[in-house]
Amino acid sequence: MSREDASDLMEKATEAADDLYRIRDTYFPSDPNDKINKLQTLSQIALNLLDSIPPEERKLPTQRATYEYLKGKILDVFPEYTKKAEDHLSKAVKLNPSLADAWLCLGNCIWKKGDLPATRNCFNLALSKGPNKRILSQLSMLERRMAQGVDNQEEIVAESIKHAKEAIALDVKDGNSWYNLGNACLTCFFVTGAWDHGKLHQSLKAYQNAEKDESMKSNPDLYFNCATVNSYLENYERALSGFEAAGLKDPCLNAAEEVEKMVNLFNKLDSLLKGQIKAKRLASLASSLTEVRLNPLYKRATVDNLLDGLNKTIAIVGKVLFFVKHENITPLYYLVCDSNQICFVLTVYSINSDAIKEGDQITLLDPNFRNNDFSWNGKRYQFRSVRVDFVEQVHVNGKPVSPHHSVRSSIYAQHKP
């Protein structure tokens, strides 16, 4: 075999390895076993192609390094850790320490067995060969994983955002880099206390930039994560559309279940709001609310006086009619009536379910108001809602809510091999 023929085979094996990873990242059949079977078949074809290169054409250290790298990369396409893949990739970086892609693959392989410090070392060694958007994105993702359960979470997530932005600076049109930044901002929102909605909006903007890249249209996690942010921001219709799109791209995601949970909740709210709460009972409950004394710094208002968004130095007094049970942990939903006998939905974040109970009289400070009006599958949902993000925003039966009722939600962007 001529040197040109051997070089051509190596090029074809490289393309076969790249195709394997494209299938891994874009093929989502309803049965996950179909994907594994397809990867097994194609990986064997790629390995056969690689092994058809004569031994004398892979004797030089650089040739041998490329061969070992491709072999390790092909073997590592599956979700589980394989020692064979690590061994081949380790040989590749020993033979050619300047092979950045081999360091990146070795890091990804080691990550699967849970050795995060060794993974970081591989990524840093890969980066030392020169700036690379894929390596920076993987390092950013790893840092979010390393932030879980440690004391300096915020510091590590800040590093994750920094590396995500560095990846974008290298290619501002790369959708994967924007997607990674969106995940980093979403994680940052939760580790810093889940109060700064600016971080959620940054996350959403990054996801929207990611969607402009055609290659990201096949990424179901992008649509799922974007829907998660919209759900947290109570952009309900966008959240439903996003979860539906994610579920169509990957039936194995629990996106369809998320849609079902949300629709069940909205139907329950709709039913309660349209239910016949007796006028006498409402009048009786509302009559006592006008007597509630407020902090002089706040102006008393009713729900129909509120503007969309945050209403600073305004206070709403209401009576809790129902605690609305649903299938997600956060937020808590209540049906409340104000002193004008107007019923509205109260959504409560960062406070546990023991703090507010049915029958309680509540005062909501600086209420964040939204007039919801959207349709899904031909049904229209209309309801007023007030959002509470901090214990300091609520007084129950005339008393501030104790800080021990405060809880923190958390979401981390996971590594998906």
Side-chain angles (χ1 to χ4, degrees), residues 244-263:
E244 185 180 62
L248 290 171
K249 291 172 194 301
D250 182 358
C252 296
L253 278 176
N254 63 339
E257 289 90 333
E258 289 300 321
V259 172
E260 191 180 345
K261 284 183 200 173
M262 290 178 76
V263 170

Side-chain angles (χ1 to χ4, degrees), residues 95-221:
L95 288 161
N96 184 1
S98 64
L99 201 55
D101 283 346
W103 282 112
L104 175 60
C105 278
L106 180 59
N108 285 332
C109 179
I110 291 170
W111 188 340
K112 291 175 188 176
K113 71 174 183 181
D115 191 344
L116 304 187
T119 302
R120 181 170 56 185
N121 187 47
C122 288
F123 290 167
N124 283 329
L125 283 164
L127 267 184
S128 70
K129 315 306 170 195
N132 182 301
K133 64 186 179 184
R134 287 187 303 126
I135 299 165
L136 284 163
S137 288
Q138 286 299 99
L139 181 58
S140 169
M141 201 189 302
L142 174 70
E143 284 160 341
R144 293 196 295 279
R145 175 64 186 82
M146 294 182 87
Q148 294 184 35
V150 298
D151 292 336
N152 60 333
Q153 278 187 328
E154 291 184 33
E155 190 183 318
I156 297 173
V157 173
E159 279 294 300
S160 171
I161 289 176
K162 174 176 163 282
H163 288 129
K165 287 180 176 177
E166 285 172 5
I168 290 167
L170 293 173
D171 182 359
V172 77
K173 290 184 177 178
D174 182 61
N176 187 63
S177 299
W178 280 110
Y179 166 63
N180 180 56
L181 177 62
N183 289 344
C185 291
L186 177 57
T187 302
C188 185
F189 169 75
F190 286 102
V191 302
T192 55
W195 62 270
D196 184 357
H197 287 198
K199 289 188 173 68
L200 284 184
H201 288 290
Q202 286 169 13
S203 178
L204 208 53
K205 189 172 180 181
Y207 289 145
Q208 286 162 354
N209 281 330
E211 284 179 37
K212 293 174 188 174
D213 183 345
E214 280 299 316
S215 68
M216 295 301 289
K217 296 272 196 262
S218 56
N219 182 341
D221 295 320

Side-chain angles (χ1 to χ4, degrees), residues 371-405:
N371 204 353
N372 299 278
D373 187 350
F374 61 94
S375 296
W376 187 254
N377 286 346
K379 181 170 180 178
R380 189 175 181 185
Y381 298 95
Q382 291 175 289
F383 58 93
R384 298 179 175 100
S385 66
V386 170
R387 176 189 183 117
V388 164
D389 284 286
F390 313 103
V391 288
E392 295 84 2
Q393 284 180 276
V394 191
H395 288 192
V396 178
N397 300 321
K399 295 176 182 176
V401 173
S402 168
H404 82 265
H405 286 297

Side-chain angles (χ1 to χ4, degrees), residues 16 18 33 50 59 84 131 139 143 160 173 193 208 210 251 274 283 295 318 320 328:
D18 289 341
N33 290 322
L50 188 63
K59 273 185 177 176
K84 274 187 181 178
L139 181 58
E143 284 160 341
S160 171
K173 290 184 177 178
Q208 286 162 354
K274 288 176 179 171
N295 181 320
V320 179
N328 281 335

